[in-house]
């Protein structure tokens, strides 16, 4: 019988099976940020086990609240920084070099097809875009990952999502994933891997694939996985060229992680995206999804463009395309946080930062910022934000605030009019 | 260290209670578990529920519906329960990361089918004093009682999760084995 991508990765990384169905895997990457790691470090110290299993496989970044906004966040950053220095973790990113983890680590080439990775962050599923198995975990799993380089999982079951048809102009990966989550529901993929297939995914860039996989967790999924192909090879080529004779050889090697034709799936879902409209959320759960046209006219106070979902260069380009030559409504606070310094610089060179600033946006340094309501754009009670992030929970961006999730294009159009707007109705 | 399970309960009658409701993100800047203690379920809006009420203070068990603990991976969610001595949650289902975090901390996340969760809620609705829950881990049995009646339920947990609870958590387990 054939295997899914996750099953192939599980078989190749199996360290132990203490009980049937419980797989303890060897980890290629243990990723760390300053919110969930300091407690793991403190606990390891308290146990007298302040060690790391392999300082080249551990990568760390300060990204959630940076530069520190108060003494507490300064302390969290300091604990991570001191620890990284103490254990000579070379790939540690501090102020000036830091960016949102799920944008920064892929951009550095740390994630490869067939890898296993964990992080104390639920959106670790993003890295599955490379054909890897990457899962968000809690602090104890992270702690054991740091100490031993292993993590336990249940046998992976996989939902196969086939995306066929043709996306209309002005409709993006974000709209697709919002729609899919609306169909699956917030726990439709719990304990499942979501494997994305089909021509729509094959045509997507790595940026778009990361947007797709990023929100797998919003349906409860352990990881979103795309099949490695030439797009993956091209993206990773600067980092792997020493290892392969040419791109074809890299492709052949990567494709050993492709799911087998006769792999068994828990469920197979087919979505034809032809005619799909831009999507937006309307409630406090990411599966409360509607076409933008049904929400048109909803007033917003803030527009937030950035995050691990949509803070990459293509996202900024999409927003800038809409914003160019427009001013944002004077009732709106526009905030854009390019996800990494590299993306920021690229946006500068392409004139995108200029467009954002000309239109009235505030440009912040790379950080999670407003996404989790801790800095750089927290909402007041009763305020509404149009956001390119991935979570709309009650209070997420500030107590009593409401968040509507949408694509960067929809967010940009909404900034211009001050009310939720389908970008395609603007350009006419 | 192995934990104690069971005791007075609190019932949260809603699906999809997320980790932001269990412990709001603004407290993630704390670097000790104990500091989280006063903020348990602070942002949960639910009829008849008071995060500062005596019912929550006394509770050692939470009974709830589907997909409890969805949202962020923060282990602060089980920790805030742990420091409030709530070592047991009984629900119809959980978000994966939350459930694993519970067992990793040596705590119990028990799953029961809908009709049994319904029976527990009935027991609660027909009582004045609330429902007391005993957990018999070895036999994998729950005994829930109010002033008038008593009900038994069998529950299943995986042998691995049970081993974690018995070891006191995943760090202890992994350290002894890998
Ligand atoms: S951008 Fe938001 S969702 Fe992504 S890692 Fe940061 S806080 Fe989490």
């Amino acid at each position: 019988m054939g295997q899914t991508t996750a099953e192939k990765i599980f078989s190749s990384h199996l360290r132990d099976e203490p009980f049937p169905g419980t797989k303890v895997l060897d980890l290629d990457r243990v990723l760390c940020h300053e919110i969930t790691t300091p407690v793991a470090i403190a606990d390891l110290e308290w146990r007298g086990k302040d060690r790391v299993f392999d300082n080249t496989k551990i990568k760390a970044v300060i990204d959630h609240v940076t530069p520190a906004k108060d003494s507490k966040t300064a302390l969290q950053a300091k604990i991570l920084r001191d620890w990284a220095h103490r254990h000579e973790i070379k790939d540690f990113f501090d102020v000036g070099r830091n960016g949102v983890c799920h944008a920064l680590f892929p951009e550095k080439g740390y994630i490869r097809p067939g890898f296993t990775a964990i992080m104390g962050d639920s959106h670790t599923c993003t890295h599955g875009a490379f054909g890897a198995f990457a899962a968000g975990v809690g602090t104890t799993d992270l702690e054991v990952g740091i100490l031993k380089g292993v993590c336990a999982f249940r046998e992976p079951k996989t939902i196969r999502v086939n995306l066929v048809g043709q996306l209309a102009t002005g409709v993006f990966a974000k709209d697709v994933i919002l729609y899919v989550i609306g169909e699956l529901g917030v726990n439709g993929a719990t304990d499942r891997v979501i494997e994305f297939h089909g021509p729509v995914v094959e045509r997507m860039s790595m940026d778009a694939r990361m947007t797709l996989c990023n929100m797998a967790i919003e349906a409860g999924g352990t990881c979103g996985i795309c099949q490695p192909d030439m797009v993956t090879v091209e993206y990773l080529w600067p980092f792997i060229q020493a290892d392969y004779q040419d791109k074809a050889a890299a492709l052949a090697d990567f494709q050993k992680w492709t799911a087998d034709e006769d792999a068994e799936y828990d469920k197979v879902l087919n979505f034809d995206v032809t005619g799909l409209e831009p999507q937006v959320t309307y409630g406090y759960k990411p599966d409360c999804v509607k076409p933008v046209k049904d929400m048109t006219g909803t007033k917003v106070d803030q527009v937030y463009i950035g995050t691990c979902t949509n803070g990459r260069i293509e996202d900024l380009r999409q927003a800038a395309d809409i914003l160019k030559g427009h001013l944002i409504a004077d009732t709106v606070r526009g905030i854009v946080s390019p996800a990494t310094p590299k993306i920021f610089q690229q946006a500068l060179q392409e004139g995108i930062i200029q467009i954002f600033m000309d239109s009235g946006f505030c440009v912040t340094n790379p950080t999670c910022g407003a996404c989790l309501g801790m800095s750089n754009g927290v909402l007041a009670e009763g305020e509404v934000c149009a956001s390119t992030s991935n979570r709309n929970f009650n209070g997420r961006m500030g107590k009593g605030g409401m968040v509507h999730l949408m694509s960067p294009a929809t967010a940009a159009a909404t900034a211009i009019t001050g009310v939720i707007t389908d970008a395609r109705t603007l350009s006419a | 260290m192995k934990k104690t399970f069971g005791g007075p309960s609190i019932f949260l009658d809603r699906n999809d209670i997320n980790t932001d409701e269990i412990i709001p993100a603004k407290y993630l800047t704390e670097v000790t578990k104990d500091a989280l203690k006063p903020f348990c379920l602070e942002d949960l809006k639910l009829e008849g529920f008071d995060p500062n009420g005596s019912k929550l203070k006394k509770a050692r068990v939470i009974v709830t519906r589907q997909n409890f603990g969805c949202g962020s991976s923060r282990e602060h969610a089980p920790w805030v329960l742990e420091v409030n001595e709530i070592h047991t949650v009984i629900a119809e289902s959980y978000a994966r990361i939350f459930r694993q975090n519970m067992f990793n901390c040596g705590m119990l996340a028990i799953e029961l089918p809908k009709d049994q969760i319904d029976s527990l809620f009935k027991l609660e609705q027909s009582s004045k004093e609330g429902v007391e829950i005993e957990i018999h881990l070895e036999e994998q049995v729950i005994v829930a009682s109010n002033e008038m009646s008593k009900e038994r339920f069998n529950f299943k947990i995986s042998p691995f999760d049970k081993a974690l609870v018995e070891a006191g958590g995943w760090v202890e387990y992994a350290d002894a084995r890998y």
Side-chain angles (χ1 to χ4, degrees):
Chain A
M1 197 191 67
Q3 288 184 307
T4 63
T5 298
E7 283 167 347
K8 289 187 177 184
I9 297 172
F10 270 53
S11 334
S12 64
H13 287 75
L14 190 65
R15 163 84 75 98
D16 184 21
E17 192 166 357
F19 299 97
T22 300
K23 311 266 188 181
V24 177
L25 304 186
D26 279 314
L27 298 171
D28 297 305
R29 292 288 177 260
V30 176
L31 309 173
C32 301
H33 67 53
E34 89 282 14
I35 299 287
T36 49
T37 316
V39 205
I41 297 169
D43 198 60
L44 284 168
E45 284 176 359
W46 177 80
R47 290 171 191 274
K49 296 182 196 302
D50 180 23
R51 301 188 296 271
V52 302
F53 84 107
D54 183 339
N55 62 0
T56 63
K57 292 183 177 168
I58 297 178
K59 317 285 176 186
V61 64
I62 297 170
D63 64 348
H64 275 58
V65 186
T66 180
K69 67 170 174 133
D70 55 17
S71 317
K72 281 185 171 171
T73 51
L75 176 61
Q76 285 184 306
K78 181 172 160 48
I79 293 173
L80 190 69
R81 182 182 300 124
D82 291 350
W83 171 80
H85 291 156
R86 186 157 78 237
H87 296 289
E88 296 174 11
I89 294 166
K90 295 266 172 356
D91 299 318
F92 165 65
F93 302 90
D94 209 333
V95 176
R97 298 175 185 83
N98 56 358
V100 178
C101 50
H102 310 306
L104 185 78
F105 294 141
E107 179 187 283
K108 298 281 177 193
Y110 295 156
I111 310 297
R112 312 277 168 84
F115 268 23
T116 51
I118 60 165
M119 181 168 198
D121 191 282
S122 58
H123 294 101
T124 310
C125 51
T126 313
H127 307 277
F130 291 83
F133 176 80
V137 297
T139 294
T140 304
D141 273 335
L142 181 69
E143 194 173 328
V144 172
I146 288 169
L147 188 63
K148 301 283 174 183
V150 298
C151 192
F153 292 95
R154 290 188 181 183
E155 191 105 50
K157 288 187 182 157
T158 301
I159 297 177
R160 180 178 171 127
V161 173
N162 295 319
L163 297 170
V164 301
Q166 187 80 42
L167 277 178
T169 318
V171 186
F172 302 96
K174 181 63 163 286
D175 302 304
V176 174
I177 191 61
L178 283 174
Y179 178 77
V180 170
I181 291 163
E183 294 295 306
L184 279 169
V186 285
N187 59 357
T190 302
D191 272 317
R192 305 288 185 273
V193 167
I194 307 179
E195 221 177 70
F196 295 101
H197 287 260
V200 179
V201 193
E202 285 159 24
R203 286 192 297 266
M204 280 182 184
S205 65
M206 286 314 300
D207 280 11
R209 291 178 193 185
M210 283 191 259
T211 302
L212 205 58
C213 292
N214 176 268
M215 292 192 73
I217 184 73
E218 305 315 328
T222 308
C223 185
I225 290 185
C226 296
Q227 302 295 294
D229 60 8
M230 210 46 175
V231 177
T232 326
V233 173
E234 293 285 355
Y235 185 100
L236 290 174
W237 189 244
F239 310 102
I240 59 173
Q241 44 188 333
D243 306 337
Y244 296 101
Q245 206 185 346
D246 53 23
K247 290 178 183 169
L251 180 64
D253 187 33
F254 284 1
Q255 281 178 333
K256 63 177 189 261
W257 305 107
T258 304
D260 294 325
E261 278 307 320
D262 56 344
E264 232 182 276
Y265 292 95
D266 180 53
K267 227 191 252 175
V268 178
L269 303 171
N270 297 303
F271 295 109
D272 186 343
V273 302
T274 314
L276 182 76
E277 300 251 344
Q279 306 284 308
V280 58
T281 62
Y282 59 86
Y284 289 125
K285 291 196 297 170
D287 63 351
C288 299
V289 177
K290 278 184 187 171
V292 170
K293 65 172 191 296
D294 295 351
M295 290 287 286
T296 301
T298 307
K299 192 180 166 305
V300 308
D301 303 290
Q302 178 167 301
V303 172
Y304 187 57
I305 298 178
T307 81
C308 61
T309 321
N310 282 126
R312 299 187 184 81
I313 190 68
E314 284 182 10
D315 303 312
L316 303 188
R317 284 184 196 137
Q318 284 162 22
D321 275 349
I322 306 294
L323 286 174
K324 196 167 185 173
H326 291 276
L327 287 177
I328 65 174
D330 49 18
T331 50
V332 165
R333 310 184 295 269
I335 301 169
V336 56
S337 305
T340 69
K342 184 177 166 199
I343 294 165
F344 199 132
Q345 283 190 330
Q346 213 171 336
L348 264 176
Q349 281 153 14
E350 293 182 19
I352 290 171
I353 297 296
Q354 193 67 47
I355 294 173
F356 271 110
M357 294 189 76
D358 286 345
S359 73
F361 260 81
C362 158
V363 184
T364 83
N365 64 301
T367 176
C368 297
C371 175
L372 76 165
M374 283 173 76
S375 63
N376 278 356
V378 181
L379 299 178
E381 195 130 7
E383 285 191 326
V384 177
C385 182
S387 173
T388 66
S389 54
N390 47 37
R391 290 221 161 118
N392 53 357
F393 299 152
N394 195 353
R396 170 82 180 178
M397 206 176 270
K399 205 173 176 132
M402 166 60 97
V403 175
H404 296 289
L405 306 175
M406 58 185 71
S407 75
T410 310
T414 300
I416 294 167
T417 59
V419 294
I420 291 179
T421 300
D422 185 335
R424 301 171 308 173
T425 62
L426 267 188
S427 40
Chain B
M1 209 177 54
K2 200 174 157 175
K3 301 210 156 47
T4 55
F5 301 103
S9 57
I10 185 159
F11 282 65
L12 307 177
D13 194 1
R14 217 194 75 201
N15 292 337
D16 307 317
I17 291 177
N18 65 55
T19 50
D20 281 79
E21 290 169 306
I22 300 170
I23 182 79
K26 63 177 181 234
Y27 302 120
L28 302 186
T29 53
E30 301 297 345
V31 289
T32 67
K33 292 185 188 182
D34 277 325
L36 302 173
K37 195 169 176 180
F39 313 118
C40 189
L41 294 163
E42 188 182 79
D43 273 356
L44 181 66
K45 305 267 181 306
L46 204 59
E47 213 184 297
F49 173 75
D50 174 10
N52 301 311
S54 63
K55 194 138 199 188
L56 181 62
K57 287 222 166 56
K58 272 192 259 154
R60 297 293 171 265
V61 179
I62 286 175
V63 182
T64 183
R65 302 281 184 183
Q66 286 174 18
N67 200 28
F68 186 74
C70 61
S72 102
S73 63
R74 67 188 67 150
E75 200 156 314
H76 305 69
W79 291 338
V80 76
L81 302 183
E82 182 182 3
V83 293
N84 283 285
E85 291 172 73
I86 299 172
H87 298 163
T88 312
V89 181
I90 302 172
E92 215 180 303
S93 62
Y94 298 91
R96 178 191 64 88
I97 301 174
F98 177 85
R99 185 196 59 217
Q100 199 56 52
N101 286 342
M102 287 286 288
F103 286 110
N104 282 346
C105 292
M107 305 207 285
L108 269 178
I110 296 173
E111 260 167 350
L112 290 180
K114 181 171 184 343
D115 56 317
Q116 300 189 0
I117 293 285
D118 285 341
S119 312
L120 283 171
F121 270 90
K122 280 210 192 89
L123 214 56
E124 154 81 0
Q125 280 143 17
S126 62
S127 80
K128 270 208 191 69
E129 306 292 317
V131 174
E132 183 82 20
I133 293 180
E134 292 166 36
I135 309 282
H136 303 277
L137 188 60
E138 260 325 294
E139 304 78 42
Q140 299 190 186
V141 165
I142 294 168
V143 180
S145 48
N146 65 12
E147 308 87 300
M148 285 93 68
S149 57
K150 203 176 235 207
E151 285 193 57
R152 275 171 74 90
F153 305 94
N154 295 312
F155 68 89
K156 282 201 207 109
I157 62 172
S158 80
F160 178 59
D161 290 339
K162 194 167 176 185
L164 292 181
V165 172
E166 275 161 359
W170 173 226
V171 181
E172 285 83 351
Y173 184 91
D175 202 41
R177 203 169 160 113
Y178 305 110

